[in-house]
Amino acid sequence: MKVEFDEDVCIGMFQCVAEWDAFEEDKSKGKAILADSEEVEEGVFVREVPDDAELDAKFAARSCPVDAITIYDDDGEQVIP
């Protein structure tokens, strides 16, 4: 499972931070950041989701009010949103 985070879409509500510890607050930008991720294009960050964090990652994606977080399964199919 992979998570994709679009920092440009993020509005800094930080609900994802409460759901999964891979998301952290960047108060200087007023946005969340995805720890241990790779920037695949400008402002878009991707990382693998550990097996034991899949539920937390899904909750983080579902809690985002602007759908800045996308979850993909192991086959590359979009799961959330």
Side-chain angles (χ1 to χ4, degrees):
M1 178 177 284
K2 287 187 181 181
V3 59
E4 179 180 280
F5 172 63
D6 190 331
E7 185 179 74
D8 294 334
V9 174
C10 178
I11 60 171
M13 295 296 292
F14 303 120
Q15 291 169 320
C16 58
V17 174
E19 297 297 339
W20 186 26
D21 61 6
F23 284 99
E24 302 168 358
E25 289 184 33
D26 183 343
K27 294 192 187 241
S28 66
K29 288 184 179 179
K31 305 217 178 224
I33 58 170
L34 180 58
D36 300 322
S37 62
E38 176 183 340
E39 190 169 16
V40 294
E41 59 184 76
E42 189 173 341
V44 178
F45 298 85
V46 175
R47 71 169 274 182
E48 291 288 329
V49 178
D51 291 341
D52 64 345
E54 287 184 0
L55 191 59
D56 292 341
K58 288 177 180 178
F59 278 132
R62 287 189 180 112
S63 74
C64 182
V66 293
D67 294 334
I69 304 166
T70 307
I71 303 290
Y72 296 93
D73 66 17
D74 291 333
D75 296 324
E77 295 292 319
Q78 184 173 329
V79 179
I80 300 168

